[in-house]
Amino acid sequence: ATLAAGGEEEGRRRLTAWLRDGIAAYEDRNDDLAGDATSRLSPHLHFGTLSPVELVHRARREGGAGADAFVRQLAWRDFHRQVLAARPAAATADYRTRGDRWRPEREAAGDIAAWREGRTGYPIVDAAMRQLRHEGWMHNRGRLLTASFLTKTLYVDWRVGARHFLDLLVDGDVANNQLNWQWVAGTGTDTRPNRVLNPVLQAKRYDPEGRYVRRWVPELAEVEGTRVHEPWRLGDDDRAALGYPAPVVGLGEGLERFRRARGR
Ligand SMILES: Cc1cc2nc3c(=O)[nH]c(=O)nc-3n(C[C@H](O)[C@H](O)[C@H](O)COP(=O)(O)OP(=O)(O)OC[C@H]3O[C@@H](n4cnc5c(N)ncnc54)[C@H](O)[C@@H]3O)c2cc1C
């Protein structure tokens, strides 16, 4: 794995570079998976090698829409910490239960393994899961769509995913991780608990040229354009010849199961 370097000196170097080169375009580019245009300061915030208060002060000094958007993200960090402080049980129990009876882990074992290993057959999900394994970090858009895929498309308990993330994330911390998982699973503070992210639409929107997928899923490196997001369209033989798996579940089937489970 290629982990980010740590320590205060490195954190300050990164922060200075971010304020100089990155923050101005943050509002426009923070969701661009391939562009990788977020600060990557999360490990430093997690370990305390940078202080969030200093970050806010220095970002504000820069000013502009990018700095405002960046400070708003830092506010999410603070929000999750406050929720957890008020409700410590939310580390392991639903913040707002939806009465889920998640698939038993034994029954879903094959799907869970495919998700962890990045071979679900949905390239954008697999790319993000492989980034996590390789870098101990994952882009926020990747975290959102892989978490949605596990909890809603596969209907697996958010705790299973949160545990895997905490095992591998360099910035993994209980407040941000568990409460973001709950947000995505719809058991947390999201006001639209039943929203399901469609991985194909997400891929086309946030990786429009397919560069992120080609970077992390070498089996698909030669597939050009947005076709890389739907390898099942290549035909079974061509897809199999690339050594890339078929989807673990159809999106329609996943959606049906989820809606039934939530009584919608
Ligand atoms: C399922 C899931 C699990 C997550 N687990 C963690 C985790 O364990 N640790 C963690 O620090 N973040 C977590 N996040 C939030 C977010 O994905 C990361 O903070 C962000 O990707 C870190 O990259 P960055 O420093 O480049 O972020 P930037 O976009 O540069 O944002 C700057 C800082 O703002 C804070 N921030 C940004 N987005 C969020 C958010 N949604 N919630 C809370 N804080 C945020 C972080 O401290 C981040 O370093 C999770 C998100 C999801 C959807």
Side-chain angles (χ1 to χ4, degrees):
T2 48
L3 297 184
E8 183 177 350
E9 229 170 86
E10 167 64 18
R12 287 180 179 279
R13 194 194 58 71
R14 201 172 257 284
L15 172 58
T16 302
W18 169 246
L19 295 172
R20 189 186 60 222
D21 305 326
I23 198 167
Y26 180 74
E27 192 184 26
D28 295 333
R29 299 193 57 214
N30 69 76
D31 254 337
D32 170 7
L33 277 163
D36 203 357
T38 65
S39 71
R40 289 197 179 230
L41 292 173
S42 54
H44 293 285
L45 286 162
H46 172 67
F47 285 104
T49 43
L50 285 177
S51 116
V53 176
E54 179 184 355
L55 248 61
V56 170
H57 279 296
R58 290 188 57 183
R60 287 248 165 88
R61 214 181 299 149
E62 292 301 310
D68 287 348
F70 183 68
V71 170
R72 278 200 299 276
Q73 289 312 107
L74 289 168
W76 276 108
R77 174 180 178 278
D78 202 57
F79 172 69
H80 292 317
R81 290 185 125 61
Q82 293 194 36
V83 172
L84 186 68
R87 292 266 297 273
T92 51
D94 288 349
Y95 179 79
R96 284 198 186 109
T97 189
R98 307 286 173 197
D100 289 294
R101 298 180 60 192
W102 305 105
R103 287 164 72 202
E105 265 185 69
R106 202 179 308 156
E107 180 219 298
D111 289 353
I112 295 171
W115 178 82
R116 284 192 184 127
E117 290 159 21
R119 46 176 188 80
T120 64
Y122 290 94
I124 198 77
V125 173
D126 294 345
M129 294 306 293
R130 294 185 200 187
Q131 178 178 33
L132 172 63
R133 190 168 286 277
H134 195 78
E135 295 192 343
W137 186 87
M138 192 198 286
H139 192 284
N140 181 59
R141 180 50 53 182
R143 299 187 201 204
L144 288 166
L145 64 90
T146 56
S148 173
F149 190 81
L150 186 77
T151 55
K152 290 176 167 169
T153 304
L154 297 178
Y155 200 53
V156 169
D157 192 332
W158 62 267
R159 281 158 282 241
V160 172
R163 198 187 317 134
H164 180 70
F165 269 33
L166 279 187
D167 281 348
L168 295 187
L169 280 174
V170 178
D171 63 27
D173 69 50
V174 171
N176 279 339
N177 189 60
Q178 311 304 91
L179 289 163
N180 269 296
W181 269 95
Q182 294 227 45
W183 194 88
V184 177
T187 60
T189 51
D190 188 4
T191 51
R192 289 177 54 200
N194 295 316
R195 92 172 84 200
V196 178
L197 300 182
N198 175 316
V200 178
L201 298 181
Q202 291 277 308
K204 289 180 176 170
R205 182 151 179 207
Y206 299 111
D207 185 27
E209 290 156 31
R211 284 194 296 134
Y212 180 72
V213 164
R214 280 190 288 275
R215 184 180 308 157
W216 290 108
V217 185
E219 303 97 293
L220 301 176
E222 304 297 321
V223 181
E224 286 173 6
T226 53
R227 294 193 322 155
V228 77
H229 293 315
E230 298 172 281
W232 49 90
R233 286 176 179 250
L234 300 172
D236 278 352
D237 290 348
D238 286 352
R239 180 194 46 71
L242 295 174
Y244 188 71
V248 284
V249 67
L251 294 181
E253 199 185 318
L255 197 57
E256 260 304 296
R257 174 172 53 201
F258 177 67
R259 287 198 172 136
R260 259 200 323 273
R262 287 272 169 101
R264 307 242 124 203

